[in-house]
Amino acid sequence: MAIPQTEKHFDAAAYLAWEDAQIERHEYVAGEVFAMVGVRQSHNVATLNLASALRQALKATPCRVFVEAVKARVEAADCFFYPDVLVTCDPRDRLTPDYVSHPLLVAEILSESTAAFDRGGKFAAYRKLDSLQDYVLIDLAVQHVEVFRRDAENHWVLHDYGPGETVELASLALQLPLDQILEDTAEEGATQSTESAPR
């Protein structure tokens, strides 16, 4: 979701203080901060679809669902990201109002400008989170969802889901119809593979 243009150089504490005063959001990677770009309507719809389904399913549990404006901290990689959707069930995350450090699930909506980083450097950083069990990538251009799931041997196993299938989120013991996650995103999402557009 961030554009590859360095704006400032900070340590983590200075970033948090600076970011709190900014109008726009910035992700932080090892001393550098990157301005966030705007998103397409379909991106926002998919974010809300997933977050709403998770919120409904996790009512009356200790888990909390956050979207876009809540930071995920990866201390081992010296990063702060703004995931599209994240879920935490860890009581320690209630003690840090500015960020979440122990997410169980993180989801990112892919775009042409961010897909390589979401699959590469960002996923490498997220894998340093001992708490993380499911990393979800939603590709609107092809109406497809990938779930990278951590197994008992600490390997990340890819599970692919296409139209009509049910997405399993094992970390939360949930199954969500892919069509529910992608509802009302197909028309615009289908053009993303040929158009240059912000995330």
Side-chain angles (χ1 to χ4, degrees):
M1 196 180 240
I3 60 174
Q5 178 180 352
T6 303
E7 300 288 342
K8 300 285 183 183
H9 292 267
F10 290 122
D11 62 20
Y15 159 75
L16 287 173
W18 177 83
E19 179 72 354
D20 191 50
Q22 303 308 302
I23 296 174
E24 298 179 345
R25 293 175 294 141
H26 304 77
E27 293 188 328
Y28 170 90
V29 180
E32 297 181 336
V33 297
F34 301 88
M36 307 292 285
V37 300
V39 301
R40 298 173 69 96
Q41 291 183 20
S42 58
H43 179 121
N44 193 257
V45 170
T47 299
L48 292 174
N49 287 348
L50 178 58
S52 298
L54 291 173
R55 174 66 177 160
Q56 183 65 32
L58 295 172
K59 281 185 175 181
T61 76
C63 301
R64 304 173 90 185
V65 182
F66 296 104
V67 296
E68 292 185 342
V70 173
K71 294 182 284 293
R73 182 181 189 185
V74 187
E75 186 172 4
D78 192 24
C79 296
F80 288 89
F81 299 121
Y82 284 97
D84 290 309
V85 179
L86 70 81
V87 176
T88 176
C89 305
D90 195 309
R92 290 173 291 180
D93 284 327
R94 293 178 179 262
L95 304 177
T96 54
D98 293 331
Y99 55 85
V100 166
S101 296
H102 310 282
L104 194 62
L105 177 147
V106 166
E108 299 284 3
I109 316 298
L110 300 178
S111 72
E112 287 186 351
S113 62
T114 66
F117 184 52
D118 288 341
R119 293 182 184 280
K122 184 175 282 190
F123 186 26
Y126 279 139
R127 291 198 300 270
K128 295 180 183 292
L129 291 168
D130 292 338
S131 63
L132 191 66
Q133 299 299 311
D134 284 324
Y135 184 54
V136 181
L137 296 176
I138 300 174
D139 191 336
L140 300 181
V142 295
Q143 296 285 283
H144 186 82
V145 171
E146 299 173 2
V147 178
F148 291 88
R149 185 175 306 141
R150 193 195 300 262
D151 67 16
E153 287 74 41
N154 204 35
H155 300 139
W156 289 88
V157 181
L158 171 62
H159 302 265
D160 289 307
Y161 301 96
E165 297 184 323
T166 298
V167 178
E168 182 179 2
L169 303 175
S171 63
L172 301 171
L174 292 178
Q175 293 187 335
L176 299 177
L178 182 137
D179 294 344
Q180 180 181 2
I181 297 171
L182 298 179
E183 183 180 1
D184 200 26
T185 66
E187 183 177 351
E188 187 182 350
T191 67
Q192 280 189 270
S193 62
T194 59
E195 293 180 3
S196 177
R199 183 171 186 252

